Amino acid sequence: MTDRTASRRLGAGILQLAVALLVATYALPYIYLLMTSLKPAADVLQIPPRFLPETLSVDNYRAIFANPSVPLAFFNSLVVAVLSTGLALLLAVPAAYGASFFRTRLSAWFLLFALVTRMVPSVSLGVPLFILLKNIGLLDTISGLVLAHTTLSLPLAVWLMAAFFESIPRELEEAARMDGCTRFAAFWHIILPPASGGIAITALFSFIASWNEFLYALLLSAQHAKTAPIIIAQYKGAFGLDWGPMSALAILYSLPVILVTLVLQKKIIGGLTFGAVKG
């Protein structure tokens, strides 16, 4: 074995160890959450805590399914996340296309404005949104939360899509126009297909932003539009938090994001490598 081969194997081993540590850092808390959701109530607060349950129990899952507020909260979260993601994409894709393909000083200011808007803390916008939605009669409604969550994800969607449109050669659109395509036909048939990976990534980030959002849901919903994060936070017993049902609900709440990621994984990988391949 030459020194060069040994050095390569050592480097590959160190890289694999680093990847394993990184995966463990993310996976262990989630596995512990799953184990907690499967522990009997008496074992959840055991001192010292045990990582694995002595006996598996689904009582925590039975408890949350017995709560009539849980299905409605999950339905509200899903509807708000899907609609706000769709609305953000509907507005962000043409806006980012215009800012990238029609470069003017106004488009540069528009992107800067979107970036500054994204940097404003949500807590600063909570009270103005509360007053606005109250005045137009959308407080504690799905429509009101969809609008609020769209304001949260739209600036990020514009920036992500602008970055992907920047990676598409302008010559593609110019060739389509020379062949007789209208500008809309060139955008729809020539520009959008290579940007589909970017659209998938933008949709995923927008969906996650809405799915995980807590502050707006707390401020803007009371009874009818309450989402699942609010229900999770309300699992309190007489002597503290009900860790078992709360863990079970958190596990169920994480599943849609995992499923969406698995469904879009090919598009996401294609989108992440699109710029690298081009370069």
Side-chain angles (χ1 to χ4, degrees):
M1 180 185 300
T2 63
D3 293 341
R4 193 171 181 179
T5 303
S7 178
R8 284 182 179 175
R9 290 187 176 180
L10 178 62
I14 293 174
L15 180 61
Q16 290 175 357
L17 179 62
V19 171
L21 289 175
L22 182 63
V23 171
T25 301
Y26 283 96
L28 281 179
Y30 188 78
I31 295 174
Y32 186 76
L33 181 71
L34 176 62
M35 294 297 104
T36 302
S37 72
L38 295 172
K39 290 178 181 177
D43 293 348
V44 171
L45 299 178
Q46 187 179 17
I47 298 176
R50 294 173 58 90
F51 186 82
L52 297 175
E54 293 184 8
T55 57
L56 294 177
S57 171
V58 294
D59 290 344
N60 294 319
Y61 290 91
R62 288 196 184 117
I64 61 173
F65 282 119
N67 184 348
S69 300
V70 170
L72 178 61
F74 267 79
F75 177 76
N76 289 343
S77 289
L78 184 62
V79 171
V80 170
V82 170
L83 292 181
S84 63
T85 298
L87 184 57
L89 286 177
L90 188 65
L91 298 174
V93 170
Y97 166 75
S100 299
F101 277 69
F102 304 95
R103 294 176 182 173
T104 63
R105 184 172 296 179
L106 183 62
S107 64
W109 279 104
F110 169 73
L111 290 176
L112 179 61
F113 176 75
L115 179 63
V116 171
T117 305
R118 188 66 182 87
M119 298 301 175
V120 176
S122 299
V123 67
S124 303
L125 303 175
V127 173
L129 276 173
F130 179 88
I131 296 173
L132 174 65
L133 294 181
K134 183 179 180 181
N135 289 336
I136 61 178
L138 292 180
L139 198 61
D140 194 22
T141 64
I142 296 296
S143 301
L145 272 187
V146 169
L147 292 177
H149 286 196
T150 302
T151 64
L152 186 70
S153 56
L154 183 58
L156 176 64
V158 169
W159 267 92
L160 285 174
M161 287 309 307
F164 282 103
F165 282 130
E166 289 288 344
S167 302
I168 298 176
R170 304 293 186 274
E171 291 78 8
L172 290 177
E173 187 187 51
E174 293 171 3
R177 296 294 305 276
M178 291 180 67
D179 288 341
C181 279
T182 63
R183 187 170 292 280
F184 178 77
F187 167 73
W188 187 260
H189 295 292
I190 304 299
I191 302 302
L192 273 188
S196 60
I199 294 174
I201 292 176
T202 305
L204 178 62
F205 277 96
S206 299
F207 183 86
I208 292 175
S210 175
W211 190 254
N212 292 336
E213 204 285 324
F214 178 79
L215 182 62
Y216 286 172
L218 181 64
L219 289 174
L220 307 177
S221 67
Q223 187 67 33
H224 303 293
K226 194 177 291 183
T227 56
I230 305 301
I231 297 296
I232 295 175
Q234 289 178 345
Y235 263 90
K236 297 179 180 178
F239 304 101
L241 299 175
D242 286 338
W243 291 109
M246 184 180 285
S247 301
L249 195 50
I251 288 293
L252 293 179
Y253 194 63
S254 67
L255 295 182
V257 175
I258 295 174
L259 291 176
V260 170
T261 305
L262 291 176
V263 170
L264 297 178
Q265 61 173 330
K266 288 186 179 178
K267 289 288 186 182
I268 292 171
I269 294 173
L272 289 174
T273 57
F274 178 72
V277 172
K278 178 179 179 290

